[in-house]
Amino acid sequence: MSPSPARLCVLLGDQLDDASPLLSRGPDAGTVLWLAEVRAESTHVWSSKVRTTLFLSAMRHFRDRLRQRGWTVIYRQLDEADNQGSLGAELARTLAQLRPRQVALVQPGDFRVLRELEATCQAAQVPLQIHPDPHFLCPREVFHAHVGGRKQLRMEFFYREMRRREKVLLTPEGEPEGGAWNFDEENRASFGREGPGAVPAPRRFLPDALTREVIALVEAQFPGHPGQLEAFDWPVSAEEAELALADFIAHRLPLFGRYQDALWQGEPWLYHSRLAAAMNLKLLSPRRVIQAAEAAYRQGQVPLAAAEGFIRQILGWREYVRGIYWEFMPEYAEKNALQATEALPPFYWTGEVPMACLRDALGQTLRHGYAHHIQRLMVTGLYSLLLGVRPQAVHEWYLAVYVDAVEWVELPNTLGMSQYADGGLLASKPYIASGKYLQRMSNHCAHCPYDPARATGSGACPFTTLYWDFILRHDALLRGNPRLGMQVRNADRLSPAERSRIQEQAQRLRASGGIPPTVPSDTLF
Ligand code: FAD
Ligand code: SF4
């Protein structure tokens, strides 16, 4: 290795991208690649063991791949005795040792990391060149132009622009395939009484020697962190991610749209893809995923509604939330439009809670580092929204526990979509519902000691109590939103006595950490 390379290329744990612009020239004598495992990335939020394991294992697999391809790689392991513990400190040391003429970096996925690396290079007086990230389909300046002078941002309009821009699911005349931009009326069914039947199990990727080494490291270094590693089976390389994609397209995409919003006790995956983590680490390109889904439709393997519903999540939502993040950071992270101040209930970190829907979502979150979108939005997210938890505490939890959690995607989803903390910038209404919604979309209520139809009394469903309480607390805000008119009008029918009982019961729930103080006797845990 040259003692003073022309270029030090920093690759972050979520930039394990074969197509990175930093790798496009191929290995050359003047370039050194740099990756570092550091403690701070697992402790700035209380990162789950599953999430940390996935990141470190994927990084080590990528390191070996780069070395096999002839790159010079400096790789700092977490357990090296002199590891400085933070990206900034580790980079500062390498800069002092190597004195490169330039540091190159692809736009990070986290504002905090960008600031830290900028400050480090500035202090070391080494120029930092930041490249746009071609992994994403919507460059930041294109999103900025989309925001333009619009009073209101809506994903649907952005998505249509992206369909046209990327020529996805269009007819030869440039119109939306099937004559509509979305087919939601064919999607979003529940499983009904019969249940989901035999859902095709997703392909698993059992830990190889490298991953087992990381599992041992994580257990030793982060023993008190949340999460369990016994069931770890996430793809950790580009090859495994490709196999996971093929498995999803062949077996679960056909019913993805239809059951996108359904929940079922003990079924963590249903028809979801499990591809977010691989995409967010850049093991898998979103273009590749979208092309595969469109090809499956064009070859008659999946209905249009399924392909479109799936593509919308990636070409629409994924790009849209990233645009929002970079457009509105750093102020976005501090938003709290509903002025929510409650602490996050401790049971979010343990899963020990009598409410069946929460217990199921939290249990699988800790076991797999995964919950599907409706569990995140309409179970864990809904409950903290209704309780009035400070959105920044909710954000820290989501960033900590999911394998696919990187701030650019997690923060707008949590603060904007789920907690309405941005006051409606990202979503057109707060996503609120009572226990009856969960009863309709899942079988959880049949396994629960509470009654989704009851808002008060000892067997009342806490979601239902807090739902009415939320409407009463935020009456002025909700009354002004045409999408919530019916819910507000229903609350208008509550008698003064019913309102008081609901509000008192909600207060008792808050005082007892979100769990009803008296649990009916047939509680299951
Ligand atoms: P599928 O259901 O199979 O969906 C396909 C793909 O679409 C996903 O892999 C993902 O890349 C994309 N997608 C779907 N919905 C969204 C969305 N709302 N925003 C961005 N991309 C989307 N997603 C993350 O990738 N990381 C997060 O940290 C994250 N945090 C979330 C927090 C909250 C409160 C909520 C409500 C949603 C969050 N999401 C996050 C979005 C979504 O829930 C996950 O992308 C999805 O559950 C991942 O599972 P999957 O790969 O099986 O997705
Ligand atoms: Fe969840 Fe309420 Fe249904 Fe219990 S009754 S599973 S708490 S929605």
Side-chain angles (χ1 to χ4, degrees):
M1 186 195 308
S2 147
S4 196
R7 216 162 64 120
L8 184 78
C9 293
V10 170
L11 297 170
L12 299 170
D14 64 339
Q15 297 182 333
L16 312 178
D17 186 358
D18 281 339
S20 166
L22 304 186
L23 305 178
S24 59
R25 287 193 217 156
D28 69 67
T31 301
V32 172
L33 307 181
W34 184 91
L35 293 94
E37 301 173 357
V38 291
R39 213 177 159 75
E41 293 307 305
S42 294
T43 54
H44 78 101
V45 293
W46 199 28
S47 185
S48 122
K49 292 178 190 173
V50 194
R51 176 173 180 260
T52 299
T53 297
L54 174 63
F55 272 74
L56 299 190
S57 171
M59 284 172 73
R60 290 185 182 196
H61 281 85
F62 197 61
R63 168 200 64 191
D64 293 355
R65 178 188 195 86
L66 292 169
R67 284 186 176 149
Q68 274 159 18
R69 290 179 177 177
W71 289 96
T72 302
V73 182
I74 295 179
Y75 190 93
R76 297 286 292 157
Q77 294 204 173
L78 191 78
D79 50 351
E80 284 174 77
D82 59 347
N83 189 308
Q84 307 285 303
S86 77
L87 284 170
E90 273 296 314
L91 182 60
R93 195 181 44 181
T94 304
L95 294 182
Q97 282 168 352
L98 292 191
R99 310 202 63 73
R101 264 176 274 151
Q102 186 193 59
V103 172
L105 172 71
V106 171
Q107 169 97 50
D110 187 320
F111 194 84
R112 172 188 58 88
V113 170
L114 173 63
R115 285 286 175 268
E116 186 175 349
L117 298 181
E118 279 174 342
T120 305
C121 291
Q122 200 176 21
Q125 298 187 327
V126 182
L128 172 64
Q129 188 187 34
I130 299 178
H131 296 255
D133 192 344
H135 167 92
F136 294 99
L137 293 100
C138 182
R140 278 174 58 186
E141 57 282 6
V142 172
F143 192 82
H144 183 70
H146 171 83
V147 172
R150 277 170 211 260
K151 282 210 196 106
Q152 232 187 18
L153 295 176
R154 286 298 162 253
M155 198 290 289
E156 186 62 31
F157 299 119
F158 169 76
Y159 167 60
R160 290 177 193 182
E161 281 179 17
M162 289 302 289
R163 286 266 296 273
R164 290 201 196 278
R165 188 182 146 84
E166 293 294 318
K167 301 186 177 39
V168 172
L169 287 181
L170 295 182
T171 63
E173 297 73 39
E175 293 306 312
E177 190 72 23
W181 291 104
N182 98 42
F183 298 89
D184 260 356
E185 68 283 5
E186 294 173 42
N187 289 336
R188 302 177 183 273
S190 72
F191 291 112
R193 277 168 195 273
E194 316 78 59
V199 181
R203 182 169 182 150
R204 304 186 63 195
F205 301 92
L206 296 181
D208 61 7
L210 208 49
T211 302
R212 287 198 299 275
E213 181 185 294
V214 171
I215 287 176
L217 173 79
V218 169
E219 293 285 19
Q221 294 278 335
F222 305 105
H225 280 231
Q228 299 128 22
L229 290 170
E230 292 74 20
F232 187 93
D233 65 352
W234 291 99
V236 293
S237 66
E239 287 74 18
E240 289 184 348
E242 185 66 32
L243 292 172
L245 170 64
D247 173 66
F248 167 69
I249 299 277
H251 302 298
R252 297 190 307 289
L253 177 59
L255 289 177
F256 171 85
R258 188 167 165 72
Y259 294 121
Q260 198 176 337
D261 283 4
L263 306 101
W264 203 259
Q265 184 95 356
E267 291 281 353
W269 323 113
L270 294 168
Y271 290 93
H272 293 273
S273 71
R274 298 202 339 153
L275 293 175
M279 274 191 280
N280 296 352
L281 267 60
K282 321 270 159 64
L283 300 174
L284 188 59
S285 143
R287 282 186 181 78
R288 166 87 191 100
V289 178
I290 291 167
Q291 280 160 6
E294 179 164 5
Y297 159 66
R298 301 232 179 253
Q299 289 156 15
Q301 292 159 14
V302 306
L304 177 57
E308 188 284 315
F310 179 69
I311 286 172
R312 178 155 21 107
Q313 307 309 314
I314 297 170
L315 186 58
W317 279 112
R318 188 170 187 267
E319 296 288 330
Y320 179 68
V321 299
R322 176 177 184 260
I324 298 248
Y325 180 81
W326 286 109
E327 191 71 24
F328 298 103
M329 279 298 278
E331 296 78 15
Y332 196 83
E334 302 309 319
K335 300 272 182 210
N336 188 356
L338 299 179
Q339 297 175 4
T341 55
E342 295 292 319
L344 186 78
F347 67 72
Y348 272 70
W349 298 104
T350 64
E352 287 171 11
V353 61
M355 291 90 98
C357 53
L358 276 164
R359 196 173 59 239
D360 198 53
L362 293 170
Q364 71 173 65
T365 295
L366 295 169
R367 201 162 45 254
H368 299 293
Y370 181 88
H372 62 71
H373 185 66
I374 290 301
Q375 292 176 305
R376 297 187 205 197
L377 185 65
M378 299 309 286
V379 182
T380 45
L382 174 62
Y383 202 64
S384 57
L385 172 68
L386 297 180
L387 263 181
V389 178
R390 196 171 65 84
Q392 285 67 29
V394 186
H395 149 61
E396 284 173 15
W397 182 79
Y398 276 97
L399 188 58
V401 296
Y402 289 110
V403 283
D404 49 49
V406 185
E407 197 175 88
W408 64 265
V409 54
E410 176 280 324
L411 185 74
N413 268 299
T414 304
L415 250 62
M417 188 185 297
S418 164
Q419 303 300 296
Y420 203 70
D422 65 7
L425 177 77
L426 184 142
S428 56
K429 58 165 190 166
Y431 284 96
I432 51 168
S434 73
K436 290 187 107 177
Y437 166 85
L438 285 166
Q439 185 183 34
R440 194 166 64 250
M441 297 307 293
S442 77
N443 64 339
H444 291 310
C445 303
H447 299 261
C448 187
Y450 303 104
D451 178 354
R454 288 180 55 195
T456 55
S458 92
C461 164
F463 280 84
T464 304
T465 311
L466 292 169
Y467 164 77
W468 291 113
D469 173 70
F470 184 92
I471 297 181
L472 298 175
R473 281 193 297 129
H474 297 292
D475 180 89
L477 172 89
L478 304 183
R479 209 169 278 281
N481 188 320
R483 296 192 64 194
L484 293 169
M486 199 167 77
Q487 282 159 294
V488 176
R489 280 195 299 282
N490 285 341
D492 286 342
R493 290 194 205 109
L494 295 169
S495 70
E498 282 170 322
R499 285 166 186 241
S500 308
R501 278 202 299 277
I502 287 168
Q503 287 176 319
E504 281 161 20
Q505 182 134 348
Q507 250 343 88
R508 282 197 296 278
L509 262 174
R510 288 196 183 91
S512 58
I515 300 183
T518 51
V519 177
S521 53
D522 53 344
T523 299
L524 301 174
F525 83 82

